[in-house]
Each structure stands twice: as C-alpha cells, then as structure tokens.
Amino acid sequence: MHKMRDKITEVTTRITNAALSANRNPAEITLLAVSKRQTEQKIAAAHAAGLRDFGENYLQEASTKIKRLQLSDTRWHFIGPIQSNKTRAIAEQFDWVHSVDRLKIAQRLSEQRGQSTPLNLCLQINIDDESNKAGVRPDEAESLALKIAALPNICLRGLMVIPLNPTTAASEDCPFMRTRLLFERLKTLPQLANMDTLSMGMSADIETAIAQGATIVRVGTALFGDRD
Ligand SMILES: *Cc1c(COP(=O)(O)O)cnc(C)c1O
C-alpha cells in the first residue's frame, strides 16, 4: 500500500516533469495503469491511492478482476489483441478499446455495445511497419479511420502505438513523432477533427511520448513492479 503510493508519486512526477518540459499542461495527460498479470490487491491499492484508469490485455483475466473488484468511478481499457469471438464481452465490460486495427472488429464492437454511452476507441497503428505485428499500416489508417468514425455506438478518440523499441530520445525518425504527424494529418479531415487521444508511451519511454503529444501513457511495471 505504502509502496504503491510511492510508485504512483514517482510516475506522476515523471509525467508532470515531462509535460512541463514540453510546455504542456500535465492535466491533459492520463495515467493508464496497466494491470495485466498483476494481483487484485495491487489494483485495489492503486485505486485506493486515486488511480481511475486501468488497462488489461487478456479478456478472461480482465473480466474476473472487473467483476470481483467492482471499483467505483473507474474506466477499464482493453489494450490487447482482439479475437472476433471476444468482441461482445469487450463491448459490454470496457469503456475504452485501444487495440482496434480491423473494420470487422470495430463493426462488431459497435453492434454489440449494449449501453447508452458510446465505446471509446483508438486505432492501433503499426508505426514501425513490422511484419506480424498488430496495427494498421500508416498508409491505410485514413481509410479505416473514416469508416470507423461513421459507426454508431463508437467514439473514435485517436491513435495507439507500441513502437518496436523503447523510444528514449526524439531522434529524426522517432516513432512517436511519426505517430503525432499522422494524427495531425488525420485531424485535418472534418470527420476526424474531434479526435483528441494519442495513446503512447510505456514505463521506459513516458518522457519521449509526452514530448511528442501523448495524452494517455500506459504504464505497467513502473507502477506495479514485475508481472507474474
Ligand atoms: C504491457 C503493456 C503496457 C505496459 O508496459 P510496461 O512496460 O509494463 O509499462 C503498455 N501497453 C501495452 C499495449 C501493453 O501490452
């Protein structure tokens, strides 16, 4: 418990310092606590210490935790690979999905969202063009984003990336910079002008991501320690 508060302070200090160095308001940046393969005790402690956004990668594990913990005022984010037979449970149990890279998945999430509020969605971009990696290719992002933005029960919020390597310096070819440029270009289209989210940066590269405009950083080990 004590340790959890210290870890949260450490991470929020990193976020605040990175935001201030980039002339950004720290309040624009959400700390998404990635709780996959972490114990319910740790998650409950993080919630008690004030965190309200939690990210999970595996549906079955997540469903159990969500039901057992019953955390008040909490947003659950699905950030893992999505099989089409899992979309109904994801649409029902989560508030956000960061890992959409196919129209079929988005259509199913839209049809199966049986709730009054839309499901917040980010398009996962395969920013380093890796073979066998999840995410839509950057040159295919526009057409997919336009189709998803037109679906009911879905609010397309922005883009998510997992770069090949941790990105600890904003070099010429920084993947976070390429993601920001893509995001800004997509936002010039009227149908996509309301996108407001760049989900990028993990424990090792929070600072670089924030310097490039991240609005959600997804942090696991720096908060919770090593996973089981
Ligand atoms: C596991 C995971 C994270 C967190 O990674 P850490 O290095 O533990 O901070 C962030 N995003 C995604 C998509 C993940 O799968």
Side-chain angles (χ1 to χ4, degrees), residues 121-136:
L121 205 143
C122 292
L123 201 55
Q124 183 173 350
I125 308 292
N126 183 355
I127 196 66
D128 292 313
D129 228 331
E130 297 171 74
S131 55
N132 303 320
K133 173 91 166 238
V136 60

Side-chain angles (χ1 to χ4, degrees), residues 34 36 57 79 160 162 201-204 218-222 227:
V34 176
K36 63 167 179 240
N57 295 54
I79 62 174
M160 183 274 247
I162 310 171
M202 316 202 284
S203 293
R218 306 179 310 267
V219 182
T221 46
R227 286 178 275 274

Side-chain angles (χ1 to χ4, degrees), residues 55-110:
E56 290 281 341
N57 295 54
Y58 312 104
L59 178 64
Q60 187 134 10
E61 177 193 336
S63 294
T64 308
K65 287 174 175 170
I66 293 170
K67 287 188 193 112
R68 285 167 49 103
L69 284 162
Q70 292 290 332
L71 299 179
S72 60
D73 183 32
T74 292
R75 291 163 295 274
W76 289 95
H77 301 240
F78 194 83
I79 62 174
I82 307 171
Q83 297 158 273
S84 50
N85 64 343
K86 302 286 169 61
T87 50
R88 182 177 298 280
I90 292 172
E92 285 170 355
Q93 294 171 36
F94 286 81
D95 304 288
W96 283 74
V97 181
H98 294 230
S99 42
V100 171
D101 61 2
R102 285 183 288 154
L103 182 60
K104 183 183 162 207
I105 295 292
Q107 282 169 332
R108 290 174 65 93
L109 290 170
S110 170

